[in-house]
Amino acid sequence: MTDPEAPSDPEALSGLEAVFRAEWGTVVATLIRLTGDWDLAEECAQDAFAAALERWPRDGVPERPGAWLTTTARNRAFDRLRRERAGAAKMRQAAQLAQTGQAGASGAPPADGFPDDRLRLMFTCCHPALSLPAQVALTLRTLAGLGTAEIARAFLVPEATMSQRLVRAKHKIRQAAIPFRVPPPHLLPQRLQAVLGVLYLLFNEGYSSPGREAVRREAIRLARLLAALLPGEPETGGLLALMLLHQARQPGRTSADGTLVPLEEQDRMVWDRAGIEEGVGVLEAALGRRAAGPYQVQAAIAACHATAPDAGATDWPQIAVLYARLAVLLPSPVVELNRAVAVAMADGPAAGLELVDRLAGTGALPGYHLLPATRADLLRRLERRAEAAGAYRQALELATAEADRRYLARRLAELGA
């Protein structure tokens, strides 16, 4: 709950944060279906969470917090529409909302017969009338409840730019009268790229932020639904496999005090072996269709890590080849940075540092803390300690996640800096 209009009492927020992350998408998606008004849905959802922040510490958390929040938000929306009395259309809308009653609040499926409002919301946001960045940003805002600043960081753009993008996307949906539904089968491929991008960013938001297990699990749940909806589409399987393999390694990513643990230092005994087996199985089925896309390649990289019995047995040459393939399928400076790491592990830190320095010279990743952090690690391995310390300091200034900051501070201390 990061936007200024959201509740901000630190003590009460600590108990409500998990519920917010788990239920925000359901509440907003249900209200959008019932009212057709995106701004009203978000405002009334915020009102409902503010009411929970006030009442739950006093009265206790309800047995079904999601249903309580949805009902409260629905009632607020009805009251708003009734008070406005802005014309016959709004009054008919209010009457229809009132008739839905508790059944509507629980998410009864609309005419398209698809039972999940959150996946329906994703496909609505990912209409081809919107630009791809707008599709992804809008869904992260409405489905996951991410604040504008959080989404801007994910896209590596200024917050003001992202705010304008979100406003324009909502306006476009109203102007084009885009329906709130899962499209018929022949239109699904048009929306797929953006929906996969939404799910990937949603998972990454939960993966990179401690305490957001609910966000990760929601992304995986929606990916399973999407894979079932499109069983013949290999990239849905590739994305699901990628999520499962990363989730399986999650228990080893941080130490007891919250410090980030590098992959080579992680205790592989705590990894979820059943999750790894499932992820590899899903990946093999997707690759069997012989139409490898970016998510399948990334899942193959994750599988190389997850199936290695120890860090020394990791097939880094194969990972470097996969990253080279990914750079063709999905050109981006982040992919190039990861490829540099793989090359460093396969061919030595000097080879990797050459690629990192070349990337840094392009200015393609301003403010991205992993660029100086990667450079620092390579300099440390080359025994260029003073340069490494300077790069670690630069990365520490840019890092925002506490786990990352702990790791970087530890590396600096090891250098005596």
Side-chain angles (χ1 to χ4, degrees):
M1 301 173 71
T2 56
D3 278 1
E5 63 268 14
S8 56
D9 182 340
E11 294 184 4
L13 263 176
S14 62
L16 196 57
E17 182 72 14
V19 176
F20 171 80
R21 292 296 179 186
E23 302 294 345
W24 172 265
T26 300
V27 176
V28 172
T30 299
L31 288 182
I32 289 174
R33 171 166 61 81
L34 293 174
T35 69
D37 189 323
W38 292 63
D39 290 331
L40 178 65
E42 287 193 10
E43 291 168 9
C44 291
Q46 288 169 347
D47 287 347
F49 279 95
L53 185 61
E54 177 184 351
R55 298 178 192 175
W56 290 4
R58 181 188 67 223
D59 303 334
V61 178
E63 184 177 347
R64 298 174 58 209
W68 188 98
L69 290 164
T70 303
T71 300
T72 301
R74 182 192 63 81
N75 291 340
R76 297 288 176 100
F78 168 70
D79 289 341
R80 284 273 300 274
L81 291 171
R82 184 178 58 188
R83 285 197 308 269
E84 287 175 2
R85 298 183 180 276
K90 284 217 170 187
M91 289 307 298
R92 286 196 300 271
Q93 186 182 55
Q96 179 184 7
L97 179 59
Q99 290 170 5
T100 60
Q102 185 62 40
S106 64
D112 65 10
F114 198 77
D116 194 283
D117 276 335
R118 285 164 291 188
L119 197 56
R120 183 178 293 106
L121 174 61
M122 292 177 67
F123 277 101
T124 302
C125 290
C126 296
H127 194 279
L130 303 175
S131 68
L132 181 59
Q135 292 171 3
V136 177
L138 182 61
T139 312
L140 289 173
R141 179 71 185 102
T142 55
L143 183 73
L146 269 63
T148 305
E150 292 176 287
I151 304 171
R153 285 196 299 270
F155 277 82
L156 304 178
V157 299
E159 184 176 350
T161 300
M162 182 54 62
S163 178
Q164 293 172 1
R165 187 176 295 173
L166 290 167
V167 170
R168 287 195 299 266
K170 291 179 183 179
H171 179 73
K172 182 70 173 181
I173 286 176
R174 285 193 296 268
Q175 292 297 105
I178 294 173
F180 184 71
R181 63 171 185 170
V182 173
H186 70 282
L187 293 179
L188 284 174
Q190 298 178 18
R191 315 278 183 90
L192 184 60
Q193 182 182 3
V195 171
L196 292 175
V198 166
L199 286 174
Y200 188 45
L201 286 175
L202 184 62
F203 180 83
N204 281 343
E205 170 61 25
Y207 191 71
S208 61
S209 304
R212 292 189 176 176
E213 176 74 14
V215 175
R216 296 194 302 274
R217 294 196 179 280
E218 175 64 7
I220 292 173
R221 189 191 72 81
L222 290 170
R224 290 188 190 278
L225 281 174
L226 188 60
L229 188 65
L230 297 169
E233 172 51 57
E235 277 290 78
T236 61
L239 178 59
L240 177 58
L242 178 61
M243 290 182 180
L244 291 171
L245 290 165
H246 280 318
Q247 176 72 356
R249 300 204 320 265
Q250 179 67 22
R253 290 189 71 239
T254 57
S255 62
D257 66 357
T259 302
L260 186 69
V261 180
L263 180 60
E264 65 271 16
E265 298 177 17
Q266 290 180 19
D267 179 3
R268 300 181 182 226
M269 295 298 292
V270 304
W271 289 0
D272 177 7
R273 289 295 158 187
I276 291 172
E277 290 179 8
E278 182 185 6
V280 170
V282 172
L283 173 61
E284 289 177 347
L287 291 173
R289 299 187 181 100
R290 300 191 179 279
Y295 292 111
Q296 293 168 79
V297 175
Q298 290 175 82
I301 293 169
C304 286
H305 290 300
T307 57
D310 55 59
T314 304
D315 190 349
W316 283 107
Q318 176 64 20
I319 293 174
V321 169
L322 288 169
Y323 268 120
R325 176 59 178 160
L326 184 62
V328 174
L329 294 170
L330 190 69
S332 83
V334 173
V335 171
E336 290 296 340
L337 180 61
N338 287 327
R339 184 172 77 89
V341 173
V343 168
M345 297 302 295
D347 301 331
L353 182 61
E354 181 181 352
L355 295 177
V356 170
D357 285 343
R358 187 184 308 164
L359 179 61
T362 68
L365 289 171
Y368 191 58
H369 81 278
L370 290 180
L371 179 60
T374 300
R375 188 170 185 276
D377 279 343
L378 296 178
L379 288 167
R380 175 178 56 83
R381 289 170 57 192
L382 290 167
E383 296 296 330
R384 293 162 61 176
R385 297 171 66 87
E387 293 174 87
Y392 278 128
R393 291 191 190 95
Q394 182 184 0
L396 190 57
E397 290 177 1
L398 297 172
T400 56
E402 186 59 30
D404 293 333
R405 294 182 59 81
R406 286 176 183 269
Y407 166 77
L408 295 167
R410 191 193 88 186
R411 286 302 195 196
L412 265 175
E414 290 171 353
L415 292 172

